[in-house]
Amino acid sequence: MTTLPTRMLPRTRHALTALGMGGAPLGNMYDVISEEASRATFDAAWAAGIRFFDTAPFYGYTLSERRFGEALRAHPRDQWVLSTKVGRLLKPLSPLAVPRALPAGETAWQNPLPFEVHYDYTAAAIRRSVEDSLQRLGTNRIDIALVHDIGRVTHGDRHEFHWRQLTSGGGLRELEALRREGLIGAIGLGVNEWEIVRDTMEHVDLDCTLLAGRYTLLEQQALDPFLARCVERGVGIIVGGPFNSGILAAGLRRPSSTLKFNYATAPAEVVARVAQLQAVCDGFEVPLAAAALQFPLGHPAVVSCVPGPRNADELQGIVRWMTQPIPAALWSTLREQGLIDADAPVPGEKR
């Protein structure tokens, strides 16, 4: 078994492995994964020493939670840390309903389970969501509960309505109550935009945030003042999407039309920047994916990176990238060429 380092959430006693496992692929994101392949992926992660797992009711319309619950129950409860999410209630799809196309933004799920999504950030819905997740996972506590996809990127004109549900409507207060009751251990957000985390920190003391795609080798706009403030307030950052939907894992070794960035086809300017990053990494004989996976962990706010492997082979490749030696000169070259922010901390650097 690989020994992976752990990092503590500053405000709680939870120790997360620096490499976690994201659960969206286990919800059949983009491709159908069989039960056998799903379990093999989890078993490979466990054998590799991964002990932090992230899922959500939304992933496959409860499929990912069910698969993680079944797999995790084979291991002692005190040996793993699990995060799941609130903000979407999954309600049974009527057997009499006419088959329908999935709404925009939900078409990634292949063969989802027969439920439909209802956004709801009210106190009652958040408690119901937690209780439903406990049932699906087969456990009596959730280590980390994350408010899923609050913000303008997801909700557009409906953002203010859902924001009021979460704030003045009591959603955040209910999360605090659930934390006091011990049903959840830590509270945070699971989002793709750092600005909404900043705003939420004005209303509640967050323990952590899963920030997807916003602090990566391609993007460091969240660096200052947001991440600096997280360090000051003890808010741990879990980096989701360290490969920006895959382009930093694939590099330029696939046709450009298949390269994804932020869940969509990568624009030309992103492909060009990836080419520059890859050229530097190639010069040091370091896989671009290894640099992308390890880079966020150089920041003191970051406690874990959680890529989403689709199968056991991908998982094992991710572990190799995580343990790949990277010379300090690679990071220096990226800085000198303006490919990462000059103030971005890098792994192994003392500041």
Side-chain angles (χ1 to χ4, degrees):
M1 184 182 76
T2 305
T3 300
L4 294 172
T6 60
R7 298 184 177 188
M8 298 290 293
L9 285 181
R11 297 171 57 87
T12 76
R13 297 180 180 179
H14 296 91
L16 280 56
T17 45
L19 177 63
M21 177 180 172
L26 269 61
N28 290 350
M29 189 175 193
Y30 302 128
D31 298 297
V32 173
I33 297 176
S34 69
E35 294 295 329
E36 295 77 14
S38 170
R39 186 56 178 266
T41 306
F42 173 87
D43 288 345
W46 189 272
I50 293 173
R51 296 294 182 268
F52 173 48
F53 304 91
D54 174 71
T55 184
F58 183 49
Y59 299 162
Y61 292 17
T62 78
L63 180 61
S64 177
E65 279 194 329
R66 294 172 189 277
R67 285 174 162 176
F68 266 131
E70 185 68 27
L72 286 166
R73 284 197 298 277
H75 302 281
R77 183 62 183 86
D78 62 354
Q79 291 186 10
W80 45 270
V81 175
L82 178 75
S83 61
T84 192
K85 304 181 181 75
V86 300
R88 291 178 174 95
L89 290 178
L90 277 293
K91 298 184 179 181
L93 187 63
S94 169
L96 303 179
V98 176
R100 63 187 178 87
L102 291 175
E106 299 181 29
T107 55
W109 311 113
Q110 305 301 305
N111 292 351
L113 293 183
F115 299 91
E116 57 184 358
V117 171
H118 293 263
Y119 287 107
D120 197 331
Y121 298 89
T122 62
I126 282 176
R127 182 169 288 270
R128 172 65 183 272
S129 181
V130 167
E131 291 172 346
D132 287 353
S133 289
L134 291 170
Q135 293 280 352
R136 289 188 288 263
L137 293 163
T139 185
N140 65 346
R141 72 179 191 274
I142 292 167
D143 299 299
I144 303 170
L146 303 167
V147 179
H148 203 186
D149 287 339
I150 189 71
R152 296 187 186 279
V153 169
T154 298
H155 296 298
D157 293 341
R158 295 281 289 172
H159 167 67
E160 292 299 334
F161 172 77
H162 291 303
W163 179 243
R164 288 194 298 271
Q165 288 183 324
L166 186 64
T167 53
S168 58
L172 291 174
R173 300 287 84 80
E174 191 68 15
L175 280 172
E176 290 182 309
L178 289 161
R179 183 172 57 184
R180 288 193 299 271
E181 294 168 24
L183 290 179
I184 59 179
I187 63 175
L189 272 59
V191 293
N192 294 80
E193 47 186 307
W194 63 266
E195 295 87 348
I196 196 67
V197 187
R198 174 201 60 200
D199 295 345
T200 305
M201 287 167 64
E202 298 302 316
H203 293 264
V204 69
D205 287 328
L206 298 177
D207 299 307
C208 59
T209 279
L210 194 158
L211 187 63
R214 300 287 78 79
Y215 187 66
T216 70
L217 203 58
L218 272 173
E219 291 191 37
Q220 296 105 52
Q221 292 93 330
L223 185 63
D224 188 41
F226 174 65
L227 289 182
R229 189 174 183 190
C230 288
V231 172
E232 292 173 1
R233 296 188 55 169
V235 179
I237 297 296
I238 301 159
V239 171
F243 302 128
N244 281 113
S245 298
I247 191 168
L248 288 174
L252 303 181
R253 309 194 193 286
R254 296 180 186 173
S256 60
S257 61
T258 69
L259 295 175
K260 289 188 177 296
F261 172 76
N262 286 352
Y263 314 108
T265 301
E269 60 271 22
V270 170
V271 174
R273 190 168 184 85
V274 170
Q276 294 176 290
L277 291 165
Q278 186 166 312
V280 173
C281 290
D282 287 348
F284 287 93
E285 298 183 345
V286 170
L288 171 61
L293 187 59
Q294 294 184 38
F295 167 75
L297 291 162
H299 198 286
V302 175
V303 295
S304 186
C305 270
V306 286
R310 300 183 182 281
N311 53 55
D313 287 343
E314 281 192 6
L315 184 282
Q316 290 159 0
I318 287 169
V319 173
R320 287 193 296 271
W321 293 332
M322 185 68 170
T323 56
Q324 164 85 36
I326 297 181
L330 183 148
W331 306 119
S332 299
T333 302
L334 291 175
R335 273 197 186 128
E336 290 164 3
Q337 295 190 15
L339 293 174
I340 59 173
D341 193 292
D343 293 325
V346 297
E349 181 180 54
K350 294 183 179 180
R351 286 199 168 195

